[in-house]
Amino acid sequence: MRQLKLVDIPEELIVQILSYLGPSDLVTCELTSSTLRSIIKEAVVLRYSRALQVAGMEDNPNSNLSVTERLARLERRESAWFKNIPDFTTTIPVHHNPSGIYDLTSGVYLLGNTNRLALHYCKLPTSSEDDTSWKNIEVERNIIDMGLAAYEHDLIAVVTTSPVTASPPSHNIELEFREFSTGQWHSLAQKPRLLVTNSRWERPAIGIEIVGEYLVLIITHSNNPWRPDSQFFVYEWKTGTLKLKLSRPHHTYHGLIFLAESVFLLPNASDNTLEIWEIPLSPERAPSQPTCILGLPQLADNQALSAISCRCEPNPRGTAALQFSTRPFHTSPSDAIAIFNIRVHPRHFPLQPLPIHLSSMFTFFVHRRALLDVFASSPHNIFSSHDAPERIPWLSWGPPITRWLNADNVPTRWITTTAGQRCVLIADNAANHGFPVVILDFNPYNLRRTEKYLRRTPNPRLWCVIGPQRVEDSECFVDSIESSLPYTACASTQSFEYEGVLMDEERVLGLSTDMVDRIQSICVHYFG
């Protein structure tokens, strides 16, 4: 009896089998058989699957576009990002008086209002004809900050404050769960308004992220002379159940990143570490310390951290996935790059804002997947909840998977500068003299593509950074920081006078401000 070969089975079954392979495996299959080569090159499903994996994207089954149209859109998108040439550019004026509250996610740009009673947002365009008018979400109490999970839950969680008539006076800090599309109370929230804490201080700084069933909230008071504690809370937002609550000394926490639905990372500015926490199954099993601690480069004796801000966009997804999105594809959360901005200052100066020459800013990048791999390989599972977690030294985990930059000449006021595996940068003095917008890309497939392209066609706007490099000499750390995560960079053909630049999955936003540093307009560069 003749042995059955792969090429003997029906072609549709071959396509289904091959769809489980990665890009490099498909290339190998093409080399083994002319029949397989023909099937792989002609099957739109396989071409689309390979293009998604190479681009670090995931298909969205909620889209009604055909596979052929999805593939065409993905190819146009990747070509535009590779060349740093947008499909179109449009400017959106800002008519209200914006506060420091803002976010950029789920195709939405959101700005607070100085009256603290409204959030203004516009849905960002995907064509030059789209409506970019501003809409409002109004609340009855003063707004401190908010968090968005629009694609996953149609959710906006608004953090509010309201005075309590007592002696001494105090303020209730509360969470309001509203539908982003309507501004009304969210139908899935059993407690649409939730009291978080009562505080002497009216307006703390907030860190907030929502993934799946969980919401993590950080409350801190960076510049408060009374030095109140930092606090963080973990809720099941649908039920209002408090899963975890902890206080730490003043100045400890400022922001967070979800690594998975039940795993999050807190940079600890007091201890110069990254803490990884696991959300407990029940409040009774709530830990009092992180599961794993990653050390950062050792600071010099006379240096301290002012703050560590961080972001990784998009967030991981729970079981609800992308039920409120009709886009054909989305960036893979596990492949996304995390950004950390670290400001170091001389220890003998206070934590209040410092003259720029007295402090130094550093930025480093690392893939979310790499952080999860470090966490998975750490010895955390041999400890009980009462044991102190082992601190993994910086040199044991950081240099091969991170890339550090000196960021003294880069605007770091806005943290929303990454999406997927890309980051956008512009010079700090661009508003005065003009400067190109630079896209960094940490996708390893795009790095190989760029290397091949540059061997054929040298381009001064396009370059690769490969191998270990040291951060510019600084007195901030005991040893020079060396990092090796490779990336490509591409500068725009034009120079722009932006105060800062932001990025989401589809766009770069250039910000223009007035004489008192209020945002006047945003220029949207759409890539697809």
Side-chain angles (χ1 to χ4, degrees):
M1 182 177 178
R2 186 174 71 88
Q3 186 175 7
L4 187 67
K5 299 179 180 179
L6 176 62
V7 294
D8 294 330
I9 65 177
E11 184 172 316
E12 57 270 23
L13 291 181
I14 296 177
V15 169
Q16 186 172 353
I17 292 170
L18 294 178
S19 66
Y20 290 96
L21 298 181
S24 58
D25 294 325
L26 285 174
V27 171
T28 301
C29 286
E30 287 184 282
L31 298 175
T32 62
S33 163
S34 59
T35 302
L36 289 179
R37 185 184 309 116
S38 176
I39 291 173
I40 291 170
K41 288 188 176 297
E42 293 177 9
V44 176
V45 172
L46 289 180
R47 288 166 54 203
Y48 178 54
S49 175
R50 178 160 63 178
L52 285 171
Q53 293 179 63
V54 167
M57 307 292 287
E58 296 176 351
D59 183 56
N60 180 15
N62 295 326
S63 172
N64 57 10
L65 295 178
S66 68
V67 174
T68 301
E69 179 59 22
R70 296 184 200 205
L71 175 61
R73 291 197 180 193
L74 181 57
E75 290 175 340
R76 288 197 301 269
R77 173 190 192 275
E78 290 304 298
S79 177
W81 281 112
F82 178 76
K83 299 174 183 176
N84 196 352
I85 299 177
D87 182 49
F88 69 87
T89 301
T90 188
T91 299
I92 304 173
V94 177
H95 300 295
H96 68 281
N97 194 1
S99 68
I101 298 172
Y102 82 100
D103 204 355
L104 173 61
T105 186
S106 306
V108 169
Y109 181 58
L110 186 148
L111 277 173
N113 193 311
T114 51
N115 69 13
R116 299 174 60 195
L117 294 175
L119 297 168
H120 301 254
Y121 70 92
C122 63
K123 293 187 176 180
L124 296 170
T126 58
S127 78
S128 56
E129 292 79 30
D130 284 354
D131 175 25
T132 56
S133 58
W134 292 86
K135 299 177 175 60
N136 296 348
I137 295 177
E138 297 183 353
V139 299
E140 296 78 26
R141 305 186 182 191
N142 287 336
I143 299 169
I144 308 175
D145 214 327
M146 54 77 224
L148 274 173
Y151 280 153
E152 190 174 6
H153 300 295
D154 187 29
L155 170 66
I156 182 167
V158 185
V159 187
T160 66
T161 178
S162 57
V164 177
T165 54
S167 182
S170 63
H171 304 269
N172 283 340
I173 308 297
E174 296 176 302
L175 277 167
E176 295 188 3
F177 302 111
R178 295 175 177 267
E179 293 178 350
F180 177 70
S181 59
T182 66
Q184 303 303 309
W185 298 117
H186 202 288
S187 59
L188 297 181
Q190 296 177 19
K191 301 176 181 178
R193 178 178 285 144
L194 196 64
L195 176 63
V196 177
T197 189
N198 180 265
S199 172
R200 289 176 57 193
W201 320 109
E202 180 187 9
R203 297 182 64 180
I206 297 295
I208 182 171
E209 295 290 345
I210 308 162
V211 170
E213 304 296 309
Y214 302 118
L215 180 150
V216 179
L217 176 69
I218 295 173
I219 298 178
T220 190
H221 306 264
S222 300
N223 299 320
N224 191 313
W226 296 99
R227 300 177 64 83
D229 285 351
S230 298
Q231 297 175 289
F232 77 84
F233 306 80
V234 180
Y235 289 97
E236 283 183 354
W237 68 269
K238 292 180 182 177
T239 63
T241 302
L242 180 62
K243 305 283 287 186
L244 179 60
K245 172 186 175 181
L246 282 172
S247 294
R248 288 292 186 265
H250 174 74
H251 182 60
T252 296
Y253 300 128
H254 299 86
L256 75 141
I257 288 173
F258 267 94
L259 300 184
E261 185 178 4
S262 59
V263 180
F264 62 94
L265 180 149
L266 293 175
N268 184 324
S270 297
D271 197 34
N272 191 33
T273 60
L274 306 178
E275 300 178 352
I276 300 179
W277 293 76
E278 292 183 278
I279 297 175
L281 294 176
S282 64
E284 292 75 21
R285 300 180 60 185
S288 60
Q289 56 196 354
T291 309
C292 176
I293 297 176
L294 307 181
L296 291 173
Q298 184 179 350
L299 294 167
D301 288 342
N302 65 331
Q303 301 291 315
L305 296 183
S306 299
I308 308 177
S309 57
C310 58
R311 182 175 169 90
C312 193
E313 173 75 8
N315 270 330
R317 303 173 189 127
T319 55
L322 301 169
Q323 58 180 326
F324 293 97
S325 169
T326 57
R327 287 186 56 206
F329 37 74
H330 282 274
T331 301
S332 166
S334 60
D335 291 327
I337 202 84
I339 181 173
F340 295 83
N341 289 333
I342 300 177
R343 185 171 291 282
V344 184
H345 70 274
R347 192 176 290 276
H348 57 275
F349 283 94
L351 290 178
Q352 279 71 25
L354 300 170
I356 189 66
H357 65 278
L358 295 180
S359 62
S360 298
M361 178 64 75
F362 301 90
T363 294
F364 77 88
F365 304 93
V366 57
H367 284 97
R368 177 184 272 126
R369 188 191 303 276
L371 289 171
L372 274 171
D373 288 344
V374 172
F375 175 63
S377 61
S378 69
H380 62 271
N381 55 2
I382 68 173
F383 295 96
S384 75
S385 60
H386 303 291
D387 292 322
E390 182 176 344
R391 177 169 170 162
I392 303 174
W394 160 253
L395 292 177
S396 297
W397 74 271
I401 62 172
T402 65
R403 176 64 68 176
W404 284 66
L405 305 175
N406 187 307
D408 282 339
N409 297 316
V410 176
T412 53
R413 170 181 166 187
W414 298 278
I415 191 66
T416 50
T417 56
T418 66
Q421 298 184 74
R422 294 185 174 95
C423 174
V424 63
L425 301 174
I426 199 168
D428 199 32
N429 64 351
N432 300 322
H433 306 289
F435 202 82
V437 169
V438 178
I439 305 294
L440 308 186
D441 190 338
F442 294 88
N443 183 324
Y445 292 110
N446 287 340
L447 176 67
R448 291 194 286 270
R449 174 188 179 187
T450 303
E451 289 180 299
K452 292 179 181 178
Y453 176 84
L454 290 176
R455 283 196 290 268
R456 300 189 309 268
T457 314
N459 186 334
R461 295 194 302 113
L462 186 63
W463 64 97
C464 300
V465 178
I466 302 169
Q469 283 188 337
R470 291 186 176 182
V471 169
E472 293 179 22
D473 197 21
S474 169
E475 298 179 353
C476 296
F477 301 96
V478 171
D479 300 308
S480 297
I481 299 175
E482 189 173 276
S483 57
S484 302
L485 181 65
Y487 66 91
T488 67
C490 186
S492 60
T493 57
Q494 297 175 258
S495 293
F496 300 94
E497 296 180 354
Y498 296 142
E499 190 70 30
V501 285
L502 316 179
M503 172 184 278
D504 71 0
E505 292 187 66
E506 302 176 78
R507 309 162 188 87
V508 166
L509 274 58
L511 305 181
S512 298
T513 61
D514 61 16
M515 296 296 291
V516 292
D517 210 26
R518 292 176 301 199
I519 297 173
Q520 285 188 309
S521 65
I522 58 174
C523 187
V524 179
H525 301 251
Y526 181 77
F527 290 84

